[in-house]
Amino acid sequence: MAGEKRSSHFFDLKIPLGFLLSFYGLLLLLYGLFGPSHIYGKSLGLNVNLIWGIVILAVGSLFLGFAHFRQKNSNQIVKKD
Amino acid sequence: MNPIISLSFIDYLILAAYLVITLVVGYALKKYMKSSEDFFLSGRSLPSWITSLAFLSANLGALEVIGMVANSAKYGILTVHFYWIGAIPAMIFLGLFMMPFYYNTKVRSVPEYLKLRYNEATRGVNAFSFAIMTLLMSGISMYAMALIFRMMLGWSLTSSILLSALVVLIYVFFGGLSSSIYNEVIQFFLIWLGLLPAVYVGLKAVGGFSGLAARLPETFLHAWKNMGSAAANPMGVDWMGVVLGLGFVLSFGYWTTDFLVVQRTLASENISAARRTPIMAAFPKMLVPLIVVVPGLLAVAILPEYSLALQGSATPDYNSALILLLAHYLPNGVLGLAITGLLASFMSGMAGNVTAFNTVWTYDIYGTYIKKNMPDKHYLMMGKLATIFGVLFSIGTAYIVQSFPNLMDYMQLIFSFFNAPLFATFLLGMFWKKATPWGGFFGLLSGILMAAGHYVLYKLNIIHYSSEMAANFFQAWWAWLTDFGVTILVSLFTRKKAESELKGLVYSLTPRTKGSEMFWRRPEVWGSIALIVMVILNIIFW
């Protein structure tokens, strides 16, 4: 059954997507923490890089988490067979 | 010309990371491309969350984003009609009623369905017009991107055209439709994550939605209230034009027959995923106004060049509204992310057209008229070659469209020519078993000719409309009606296909299979929910 299913045909998109977003999140977070602070006049004093970096990092890790969980799951199914 | 935006190192780093990941994904998909179905239809193996997001993103190209922000800076909340009534019913209709015909007949393209239902000639008309249309569209998005990058960053036209063409060429060449779809999903996240910070900061600056409303004229705030007559609203269209032209003909024509979007549903892993694809896409689609209509309204409320236009004392360049707003609110860092989101959506718009083109070219033109019955490997190779000359042709058309003053009107014009009449051909083909092969052919041809005739009469000032938009809506409507009428008329006098040949192609001759899934996986349930949400949204913004 598991062998017939064609969804294993391609690699899981969640992995590259998760890596890209986590990278962006981390980058923005660090830039928000250590980068110049005079640029936030534009955004009404809000450190958007820091805040948004955390949000994107969370989204990215969520994807990686799901991908990891799924892979583990499908490995178990294969073992049972 | 001085660039509006100055990027720093971190912005370029974000941009570069995106380019690297698309190339890696494209290259990694290379080893899965064993047959032509893998290349053109992703081996019909993708889960519905991926196809849904790709289905939506294929239409959320940057040209669309920038054009719709411009629209809402010009017309206000009326722009939501393109996202709600002008999309949702058609997407649900595709999922519930049309998808079984596309997916279960195992056709590989929209023209191929026309061949089975009508005849070779009908397929030919559609295949050739579609191939030309996709190359034009791909050229348009490339040119628009180059224009914006020149304005924004000071890059030269040629270098941005060549850079994007090269990246698209590489990843489509290796990964085919899968590359294109994966990139669309990545783009979906980037465009949302890139634009939301500007929306948030902008809304905070004006004091939330109520503060925004207080700064705008009354006609900008209602979707339907001022639709009684064309003169009472800024768009110059009445409710009839919106419902018939946009909501019915243009929207159904685009969402249900344009192979660019239909191809994404065909990549699904099974029929139920295929039916869920457009329906699940309807939910994020309804939210898109948050990142396109709200920025347009913010531009009017905040940027002086647009607020002055309200009193008629200036005619600003609406197409730069989004860029100016981004430059106004976003510091480096998130700014780079927003620019990357725009770049991603330009490139996926281009890639979407290229993949639709190489499929129709290989299956419906090359494999039908030039070299029939070759081994599958041959067509796979042809698809890869078609990708190369598709991209080269698009570069050519990118330079041709330089001579057209208004890109959005040009796009709507193309749709009203090709998609609007095609929808009549499909409607009759799928739901009226007496439609004959030649009825389909002459109907489609005369619908296209009607659109052309109408366009000439409008441009010669023989027919008048209160706006360009109204002209497009009604042109679509008349083209549809002509196709519908002529198909029926010719069908009455020409030979029908035998009913046995139409099994699985026409609604009344197709046995309905009852879904055995749990109710929360059924497309009917989700379709109804989407429709209810749409009605509620329209009432809220009435």
Side-chain angles (χ1 to χ4, degrees):
Chain A
M1 184 67 196
E4 272 173 43
K5 219 178 162 220
R6 280 188 302 179
S7 54
S8 55
H9 195 79
F10 298 112
F11 63 82
D12 195 347
L13 174 61
K14 291 193 222 56
I15 297 167
L17 186 58
F19 271 117
L20 183 71
L21 293 184
S22 308
F23 173 72
Y24 282 166
L26 211 59
L27 200 66
L28 289 179
L29 195 158
L30 292 175
Y31 193 70
L33 282 179
F34 305 111
S37 56
H38 64 87
I39 54 174
Y40 301 111
K42 270 184 174 183
S43 52
L44 317 170
L46 221 60
N47 189 337
V48 265
N49 282 332
L50 179 65
I51 303 168
W52 205 237
I54 295 172
V55 174
I56 298 177
L57 184 61
V59 178
S61 338
L62 217 61
F63 274 111
L64 288 179
F66 272 127
H68 181 71
F69 178 73
R70 232 193 91 167
Q71 218 157 36
K72 237 170 120 180
N73 247 9
S74 61
N75 281 347
Q76 272 169 0
I77 293 171
V78 172
K79 265 181 206 156
K80 266 186 200 164
D81 288 352
Chain B
M1 192 161 81
N2 273 333
I4 296 173
I5 288 174
S6 60
L7 294 188
S8 63
F9 177 71
I10 183 161
D11 304 306
Y12 281 113
L13 197 61
I14 291 173
L15 208 63
Y18 164 73
L19 292 177
V20 169
I21 212 97
T22 47
L23 291 177
V24 168
V25 166
Y27 191 74
L29 284 168
K30 182 184 159 206
K31 65 173 177 194
Y32 299 98
M33 300 297 131
K34 297 207 174 75
S35 71
S36 69
E37 284 227 337
D38 291 335
F39 190 75
F40 296 122
L41 295 172
S42 301
R44 299 186 196 265
S45 65
L46 297 177
S48 60
W49 74 272
I50 288 189
T51 51
S52 292
L53 293 182
F55 182 87
L56 179 62
S57 296
N59 171 256
L60 197 65
L63 194 55
E64 168 93 9
V65 173
I66 285 172
M68 285 300 167
V69 173
N71 260 342
S72 55
K74 213 167 161 182
Y75 307 125
I77 281 190
L78 294 173
T79 311
V80 296
H81 293 315
F82 288 93
Y83 294 91
W84 298 343
I85 192 169
I88 306 302
M91 290 162 80
I92 295 170
F93 186 80
L94 171 67
L96 292 187
F97 299 105
M98 292 176 71
M99 222 41 241
F101 301 112
Y102 279 132
Y103 198 87
N104 285 342
T105 49
K106 294 278 165 213
V107 293
R108 295 164 302 183
S109 67
V110 165
E112 193 171 353
Y113 175 84
L114 290 176
K115 189 215 160 187
L116 295 180
R117 176 60 185 87
Y118 295 106
N119 56 17
E120 199 59 70
T122 316
R123 171 203 226 172
V125 172
N126 182 234
F128 279 101
S129 59
F130 183 78
I132 295 169
M133 181 171 115
T134 46
L135 290 182
L136 283 175
M137 295 299 255
S138 154
I140 292 172
S141 38
M142 212 183 300
Y143 174 66
M145 174 172 81
L147 266 189
I148 282 168
F149 276 77
R150 184 175 66 177
M151 181 177 88
M152 226 164 36
L153 308 171
W155 295 3
S156 87
L157 277 187
T158 307
S159 60
S160 19
I161 286 180
L162 291 183
L163 172 75
S164 54
L166 187 71
V167 175
V168 167
L169 174 65
I170 292 174
Y171 74 72
V172 176
F173 183 85
F174 286 129
L177 181 65
S178 310
S179 266
S180 194
I181 285 183
Y182 276 19
N183 198 41
E184 280 154 9
V185 176
I186 295 175
Q187 172 234 324
F188 175 84
F189 288 97
L190 291 183
I191 197 95
W192 277 91
L193 293 172
L195 297 186
L196 276 178
V199 172
Y200 177 77
V201 179
L203 279 176
K204 204 169 137 95
V206 295
F209 282 104
S210 52
L212 178 62
R215 294 174 187 228
L216 296 170
E218 202 262 346
T219 47
F220 267 53
L221 300 173
H222 295 282
W224 291 102
K225 202 179 158 197
N226 303 308
M227 277 283 162
S229 79
N233 65 74
M235 204 145 82
V237 189
D238 58 7
W239 66 271
M240 267 261 291
V242 167
V243 173
L244 288 182
L246 178 66
F248 183 56
V249 180
L250 271 176
S251 145
F252 277 75
Y254 177 76
W255 292 102
T256 65
T257 69
D258 195 300
F259 183 54
L260 178 63
V261 285
V262 172
Q263 190 177 20
R264 269 106 200 115
T265 63
L266 294 182
S268 309
E269 56 194 351
N270 56 46
I271 172 69
S272 138
R275 294 182 70 197
R276 276 199 307 271
T277 295
I279 294 172
M280 297 319 275
F283 292 93
K285 180 78 182 173
M286 286 189 274
L287 293 178
V288 174
L290 189 62
I291 51 166
V292 298
V293 177
V294 177
L297 298 179
L298 283 170
V300 178
I302 287 160
L303 305 174
E305 51 265 65
Y306 299 103
S307 26
L308 285 178
L310 286 180
Q311 287 115 42
S313 57
T315 42
D317 173 19
Y318 285 103
N319 286 327
S320 38
L322 178 64
I323 312 296
L324 290 174
L325 199 75
L326 294 178
H328 193 265
Y329 283 128
L330 296 184
N332 292 107
V334 279
L335 180 63
L337 191 66
I339 304 298
T340 306
L342 285 178
L343 178 75
S345 66
F346 273 120
M347 294 212 312
S348 70
M350 206 157 76
N353 280 301
V354 171
T355 39
F357 167 80
N358 64 22
T359 309
V360 166
W361 164 264
T362 307
Y363 284 144
D364 297 297
I365 298 176
Y366 183 80
T368 307
Y369 297 105
I370 301 175
K371 271 201 169 163
K372 276 188 183 176
N373 303 325
M374 296 294 282
D376 189 65
K377 274 265 176 288
H378 181 82
Y379 294 120
L380 176 60
M381 193 203 64
M382 192 62 218
K384 293 196 158 191
L385 280 180
T387 307
I388 299 178
F389 64 70
V391 170
L392 290 178
F393 257 113
S394 317
I395 295 178
T397 51
Y399 286 99
I400 295 173
V401 292
Q402 281 195 38
S403 53
F404 290 93
N406 186 335
L407 298 178
M408 269 320 257
D409 282 337
Y410 183 60
M411 261 171 69
Q412 289 291 330
L413 182 72
I414 293 178
F415 287 145
S416 67
F417 259 73
F418 295 123
N419 287 339
L422 187 58
F423 174 55
T425 307
F426 265 89
L427 206 57
L428 288 169
M430 285 178 172
F431 299 99
W432 190 49
K433 63 181 178 186
K434 290 187 177 135
T436 67
W438 288 109
F441 175 77
F442 285 109
L444 187 56
L445 200 61
S446 53
I448 296 173
L449 292 176
M450 178 66 195
H454 179 275
Y455 181 67
V456 170
L457 290 180
Y458 170 64
K459 282 290 160 188
L460 291 176
N461 266 324
I462 298 171
I463 326 179
H464 300 279
Y465 293 101
S466 37
S467 70
E468 197 90 1
M469 189 94 73
N472 280 329
F473 288 178
F474 280 99
Q475 176 161 311
W477 164 250
W478 290 119
W480 180 86
L481 197 68
T482 307
D483 184 324
F484 196 78
V486 171
T487 306
I488 293 178
L489 204 69
V490 175
S491 290
L492 295 178
F493 301 103
T494 48
R495 239 167 60 107
K496 281 193 300 184
K497 273 195 166 183
E499 291 206 351
S500 59
E501 283 180 88
L502 294 178
K503 224 170 227 157
L505 298 170
V506 180
Y507 194 73
S508 59
L509 299 174
T510 306
R512 241 135 297 161
T513 43
K514 260 203 133 175
S516 56
E517 317 121 300
M518 302 298 284
F519 76 94
W520 51 271
R521 298 197 76 148
R522 283 199 201 137
E524 289 82 2
V525 174
W526 287 106
S528 316
I529 297 176
L531 218 50
I532 293 168
V533 175
M534 185 198 93
V535 171
I536 293 173
L537 282 172
N538 273 293
I539 294 172
I540 294 175
F541 291 93
W542 188 271

